[in-house]
Amino acid sequence: MRLRFTKMHGAGNDFVVLDATQAPLALSRDQLRLLGDRRFGVGADQILVVEAADRPGVDFRYRIFNGASGDEVEQCGNGSRCFVRYVRDHGLSERDTIRVATVNNELELRLQADGRVTVDMNQPVFEPARLPFDPSGLVPRMVNGFELWPLDLGDGDAGGDTAEVAVVSMGNPHAVLRVPEVDAAPVASWGPRIEVHARFARKVNAGFLQVVSRSEVKLRVFERDAGETLACGTGACAAVVAGIRLGWLDSKVDVHTRGGVLTIEWNGPGHSVLMTGPAVTVFEGEIEL
Ligand SMILES: N[C@H](CCC[C@H](N)C(=O)O)C(=O)O
């Protein structure tokens, strides 16, 4: 099959975007992994599929697949900003604000005059069972009334490292740990061990957070089924929400990632998280699958 695609990125987190509004695209896991493959295919952290609305009150359906595994996931923040840029540029909508349905939620996406996009990422979820995360037998350290869970990363000869994490769901699961300096953080060694830790039944995205001030942080994320990406939108939301709950951050924070800056705003429980950042089209192409 000959497939047209658009290559995009949001703060360096990159995507292959496909238009399935005219006809459903039933791609196999192998075809999705080929699209994500940086040697044998196009190359992308995630594959985003634009589908026609499947219910009243939304403009499109937004589906997300991790490029390395071909598995469908619940949410992609950087991808949602590219989504609205894509539908505008491809004449699929004339509106600056659109509403999309994901596998487990709905998002409102707003194209700003300066070209950045603001997304209402809905409310964060903290109940461990809804991540899912199994805290049984663990005693959390309470900071500002919020749990930091001691994760034992010891696996045989790897030694008894313990990662102290906050857990947050933005529709997809996140474990956030504070580090003194992101550039020296053990992302390559601890990231994969947290990602597949047995207490996360559907694996987890691991965020490494450096607090620069109450309104500025640096963040690296070892993403579930993607490895370290240059930015993670839901990861930035999860890290800021955790930082606010832990008393480290104010309600509006600039998140410096290796691929660019995202601005996250959250006014506390009961409120949505707002994420603002870039959405860039790199090239259009075709591939034979
Ligand atoms: N790897 C993530 C999906 C992509 C999230 C990230 N790219 C974002 O911008 O939120 C997961 O498996 O939950």
Side-chain angles (χ1 to χ4, degrees):
M1 146 202 338
R2 195 121 190 91
L3 191 63
R4 288 195 56 75
F5 67 85
T6 301
K7 186 73 184 351
M8 300 184 79
H9 76 83
N13 183 195
D14 66 338
F15 311 106
V16 165
V17 188
L18 305 172
D19 178 356
T21 55
Q22 305 309 312
L25 266 179
L27 296 177
S28 69
R29 281 182 80 228
D30 285 346
Q31 288 175 318
L32 288 161
R33 287 163 63 179
L34 178 60
L35 284 171
D37 190 302
R38 298 190 186 282
R39 296 289 185 282
F40 296 99
V42 180
D45 295 324
Q46 280 85 35
I47 315 307
L48 312 181
V49 182
V50 181
E51 294 187 349
D54 60 352
R55 71 193 73 162
V58 299
D59 300 291
F60 298 95
R61 191 162 171 231
Y62 167 35
R63 298 183 71 185
I64 307 130
F65 301 85
N66 277 320
S69 64
D71 287 339
E72 185 161 14
V73 289
E74 309 90 341
Q75 190 55 276
C76 179
N78 288 322
S80 66
R81 301 196 311 274
C82 291
F83 190 104
V84 67
R85 159 70 58 217
Y86 177 91
V87 299
R88 280 295 303 269
D89 291 352
H90 287 77
L92 298 176
S93 171
E94 303 297 319
R95 315 230 315 262
D96 286 342
T97 299
I98 64 169
R99 195 163 181 77
V100 302
T102 62
V103 287
N104 62 3
N105 219 327
E106 294 183 8
L107 297 176
E108 184 178 280
L109 322 176
R110 189 169 66 249
L111 196 52
Q112 306 284 11
D114 66 2
R116 294 191 306 164
V117 178
T118 295
V119 182
D120 179 330
M121 295 292 290
N122 297 299
Q123 295 185 42
V125 168
F126 302 104
E127 296 83 78
R130 293 180 59 193
L131 252 79
F133 168 64
D134 170 14
S136 55
L138 295 182
V139 177
R141 182 162 70 94
M142 302 303 289
V143 173
N144 197 44
F146 192 55
E147 295 88 355
L148 281 172
W149 298 99
L151 272 194
D152 175 5
L153 301 184
D155 39 20
D157 58 1
D161 294 329
T162 299
E164 202 178 40
V165 299
V167 297
V168 182
S169 173
M170 291 303 302
N172 58 343
H174 290 270
V176 182
L177 62 152
R178 184 169 181 175
V179 294
E181 168 62 57
V182 280
D183 292 331
V187 177
S189 55
W190 284 24
R193 289 152 67 187
I194 295 170
E195 176 201 10
V196 299
H197 196 284
R199 289 186 178 275
F200 296 94
R202 290 173 46 83
K203 301 192 282 186
V204 71
N205 298 282
F208 296 77
L209 170 67
Q210 175 186 344
V211 177
V212 176
S213 74
R214 294 189 61 84
S215 59
E216 198 169 3
V217 302
K218 292 182 178 178
L219 181 70
R220 292 172 66 185
V221 180
F222 190 95
E223 283 197 28
R224 176 177 62 172
D225 287 346
E228 181 174 8
T229 56
L230 292 182
C232 178
T234 51
C237 295
V240 168
V241 161
I244 291 170
R245 288 290 307 269
L246 289 160
W248 303 334
L249 299 176
D250 290 339
S251 60
K252 183 173 182 179
V253 178
D254 283 339
V255 180
H256 296 266
T257 75
R258 293 191 149 182
V261 181
L262 303 178
T263 300
I264 309 297
E265 299 174 73
W266 186 54
N267 290 317
H271 294 273
S272 275
V273 184
L274 299 182
M275 170 190 63
T276 299
V280 176
T281 297
V282 183
F283 64 88
E284 307 279 349
E286 284 193 0
I287 182 170
E288 189 63 39
L289 284 185

